[in-house]
Amino acid sequence: MPTTGSGLLLLVVLLLPGLTFVALRERRSSERRPTAFRESGAVVFWSVTTEFVTLALFAVVRSLLPELTPDVGRLVREGGAYVREHYVSLGWWGAGLLAFSCGLAAAAAMRAAAGRHPSGMSAWWMLFDGWYPGENPMVGCLLEDGSYLEGRQASFNVSADDSPDRDLVLVQPLKYRPPGGTEARPLPWSAACVSARRIVTVFVSYPLAERAVGAGEEGAAGAGSGPAAG
């Protein structure tokens, strides 16, 4: 571990692309709890990979535009003297290269999250985000006591483990059918929180899918009612 402030800052800068990758991957996919070793390995791997690619591209740019890029050879030979003389340009180039590395890591994280196999996701993630990302579907919950609660999905626990110790938040329009009832009636409340431990079955209706089906039916009906070709 670094023992000086500058050493700590350098460590954070070097690992920032990997931290960007891990943070965005967790944000865009079902939350898993890897071991500290795997988490650290992912941070180091993606930091080294993206920074290597960035430096390789910088080398290409340096060979094509030597007058517009820092002189790495002089930087190595002269060290602090060269830095003091060109600290402004070195600062801008360093920030730009770091931002580019973080951008590569972010793109890799989004790609990794989009390409994850359903077997690594929870059932809730597949229902509420995996099939129709960005949708807030209507959700019906049949509870263990025979009651039924319906509402629009607002948030859910994104853990990759299908654990009963998590909650689902539903918002208006809310409907509830008590045990033994025959009709679900509207509720005046703004939101409801349901424990997964009490849910027996979950029913989901996707607005996007419903609109697509409706458009298809209208198109078929229009084609069927059109004039016959002579």
Side-chain angles (χ1 to χ4, degrees):
M1 289 297 293
T3 57
T4 63
S6 58
L8 179 60
L9 178 61
L10 179 61
L11 178 64
V12 171
V13 168
L14 292 176
L15 296 182
L16 189 58
L19 293 172
T20 301
F21 174 86
V22 171
L24 284 181
R25 183 191 60 185
E26 292 178 352
R27 179 67 181 85
R28 288 181 166 266
S29 63
S30 188
E31 180 189 3
R32 306 193 70 88
R33 293 181 174 83
T35 63
F37 176 78
R38 290 189 60 183
E39 192 82 356
S40 301
V43 171
V44 173
F45 173 80
W46 284 105
S47 293
V48 172
T49 301
T50 55
E51 287 166 356
F52 176 81
V53 172
T54 300
L55 291 177
L57 293 176
F58 172 78
V60 174
V61 174
R62 170 67 184 165
S63 64
L64 297 175
L65 302 170
E67 68 281 358
L68 299 179
T69 53
D71 190 334
V72 180
R74 285 188 60 190
L75 177 62
V76 173
R77 291 191 302 269
E78 301 176 13
Y82 182 81
V83 172
R84 288 190 294 271
E85 183 179 353
H86 301 88
Y87 67 91
V88 175
S89 63
L90 289 175
W92 280 109
W93 272 99
L97 293 175
L98 178 61
F100 186 80
S101 296
C102 292
L104 287 179
M110 291 186 286
R111 177 72 175 177
R116 296 189 67 175
H117 193 272
S119 62
M121 306 291 186
S122 69
W124 278 19
W125 180 269
M126 294 304 302
L127 284 173
F128 302 142
D129 195 85
W131 288 332
Y132 292 90
E135 288 278 304
N136 290 320
M138 292 296 298
V139 179
C141 300
L142 181 63
L143 306 182
E144 62 180 3
D145 62 355
S147 61
Y148 174 82
L149 179 65
E150 179 183 301
R152 188 170 299 280
Q153 176 258 317
S155 69
F156 65 98
N157 188 303
V158 298
S159 172
D161 300 323
D162 286 307
S163 168
D165 298 318
R166 56 182 179 171
D167 299 319
L168 171 66
V169 177
L170 304 178
V171 296
Q172 286 286 356
L174 291 172
K175 292 183 180 181
Y176 177 72
R177 187 193 68 202
T182 58
E183 182 180 356
R185 299 183 179 276
L187 290 175
W189 315 115
S190 299
C193 183
V194 191
S195 172
R197 190 176 296 276
R198 306 302 179 189
I199 299 176
V200 176
T201 308
V202 174
F203 305 93
V204 182
S205 174
Y206 304 99
L208 182 62
E210 290 178 352
R211 288 195 296 269
V213 172
E217 292 177 349
E218 290 179 2
S225 60

